[in-house]
């Protein structure tokens, strides 16, 4: 069975602070895929990133960066110099070769960025 | 542009009534999914389909059904709505070519069962 844990249910920061959202996963698949989605206050779910288990390179996209560490089964998400527009619920998700096309989602982390 | 739409966006119904939520995608994706989102539970899979005439139960399928008669649509039916089914419902689709395909989500339907 697959499992995704986002231990931080809520984080509050002040604008311009850096913040890291944690994601820990469990899977028995040797090939698997990790995702992050953003859910802003408007409610839609926005895809941010997909990584496969063979690519452990960290990724940076503007103020967003992702740190994938197989040794600790973690796929953490860092926002540098946070902005009010980053306020949202962020979901980490896991898919695997033996899960077909299904994804298992973590419970989400609500990030509040205060001006 | 290709997209995925849901209707209605908001619905209020009474206990015991049958309700159908629509999901339509124009990406020509093989895979479609229905989730519900509740506080403290994240997103939970209700039903999914890997192609026309294919449907499968997810984690929380009791009280729900789906049918897939074409590629574009996967309607979700609540046979007899219950207050426990008050939730936000999301439809998603993915290409289906490989495992772990990215799922793209519709805007959601907020359902209230009184």
């Amino acid at each position: 069975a697959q499992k995704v844990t986002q231990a931080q249910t809520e984080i509050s920061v002040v604008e311009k602070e850096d913040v890291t959202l944690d994601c820990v996963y469990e899977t028995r698949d040797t090939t698997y895929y990790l995702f992050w989605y953003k859910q802003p206050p408007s409610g839609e779910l926005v895809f941010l990133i997909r990584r496969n288990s063979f690519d452990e390179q960290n990724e940076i996209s503007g103020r967003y960066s992702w740190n994938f560490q197989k040794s600790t089964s973690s796929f953490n998400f860092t926002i540098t110099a946070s902005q009010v527009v980053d306020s949202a619920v962020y979901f980490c998700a896991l898919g695997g070769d033996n899960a077909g096309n299904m994804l298992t989602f973590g419970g989400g982390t609500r990030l509040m960025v205060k001006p | 542009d290709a997209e995925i739409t849901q209707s209605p966006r908001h619905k209020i119904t009474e206990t015991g009534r049958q309700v159908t939520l629509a999901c339509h995608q124009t990406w020509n994706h093989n895979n479609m999914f229905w989730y519900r989102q509740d506080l403290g539970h994240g997103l939970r899979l209700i039903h999914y389909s890997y192609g026309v005439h294919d449907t499968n139960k997810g984690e929380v399928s009791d009280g729900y059904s789906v049918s897939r008669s074409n590629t574009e649509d996967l309607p979700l039916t609540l046979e007899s709505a219950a207050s426990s089914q008050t939730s936000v419902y999301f439809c998603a689709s993915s290409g289906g070519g490989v495992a772990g395909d990215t799922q793209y989500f519709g805007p959601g339907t907020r359902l209230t069962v009184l």
Side-chain angles (χ1 to χ4, degrees):
Chain A
Q2 301 193 115
K3 186 178 178 182
V4 176
T5 302
Q6 295 181 254
Q8 307 149 306
T9 52
E10 252 185 48
I11 301 175
S12 181
V13 299
V14 176
E15 210 171 16
K16 297 184 184 176
E17 283 185 20
D18 298 348
V19 58
T20 296
L21 310 182
D22 297 334
C23 173
V24 174
Y25 61 91
E26 296 175 30
T27 181
R28 291 182 179 175
D29 290 345
T30 52
T31 302
Y32 53 90
Y33 308 86
L34 294 159
F35 302 81
W36 277 95
Y37 287 85
K38 175 182 180 180
Q39 186 177 41
S42 51
E44 72 273 23
L45 281 150
V46 179
F47 164 71
L48 294 178
I49 190 170
R50 173 185 184 267
R51 301 307 299 272
N52 73 56
S53 53
F54 295 109
D55 184 0
E56 288 191 71
Q57 268 195 323
N58 291 333
E59 177 138 351
I60 298 174
S61 176
R63 296 183 298 106
Y64 293 174
S65 62
W66 290 269
N67 182 1
F68 177 28
Q69 292 200 334
K70 282 176 93 167
S71 59
T72 56
S73 297
S74 65
F75 186 45
N76 296 337
F77 174 29
T78 297
I79 301 174
T80 302
S82 60
Q83 299 177 1
V84 172
V85 293
D86 296 326
S87 297
V89 179
Y90 291 87
F91 291 97
C92 181
L94 169 67
D97 265 1
N98 291 321
N101 286 276
M102 289 188 289
L103 298 182
T104 299
F105 283 81
T109 297
R110 180 178 300 276
L111 174 65
M112 292 174 288
V113 181
K114 299 178 182 176
Chain B
D1 282 349
E3 61 177 356
I4 181 166
T5 57
Q6 293 182 235
S7 61
R9 296 293 312 279
H10 302 271
K11 173 81 177 175
I12 300 174
T13 191
E14 295 177 345
T15 301
R17 291 193 180 262
Q18 184 181 80
V19 176
T20 296
L21 309 182
C23 176
H24 179 81
Q25 52 97 4
T26 58
W27 277 306
N28 201 34
H29 282 168
N30 285 327
N31 303 332
M32 295 184 74
F33 307 84
W34 274 104
Y35 295 88
R36 59 179 289 174
Q37 183 180 17
D38 304 289
L39 204 60
H41 290 280
L43 286 153
R44 292 183 291 175
L45 184 65
I46 306 171
H47 280 286
Y48 59 101
S49 167
Y50 287 159
V52 176
H53 302 309
D54 175 74
T55 61
N56 306 279
K57 293 182 179 180
E59 178 190 355
V60 290
S61 60
D62 286 351
Y64 303 94
S65 64
V66 293
S67 62
R68 186 97 178 264
S69 58
N70 59 51
T71 301
E72 296 80 18
D73 299 288
L74 187 69
L76 176 72
T77 297
L78 287 68
E79 304 292 346
S80 177
S83 57
S84 59
Q85 294 176 309
T86 292
S87 185
V88 180
Y89 291 86
F90 286 96
C91 179
S93 71
S94 68
V98 294
D101 256 354
T102 300
Q103 291 185 17
Y104 295 95
F105 285 80
T109 294
R110 184 174 295 275
L111 177 68
T112 302
V113 183
L114 301 176

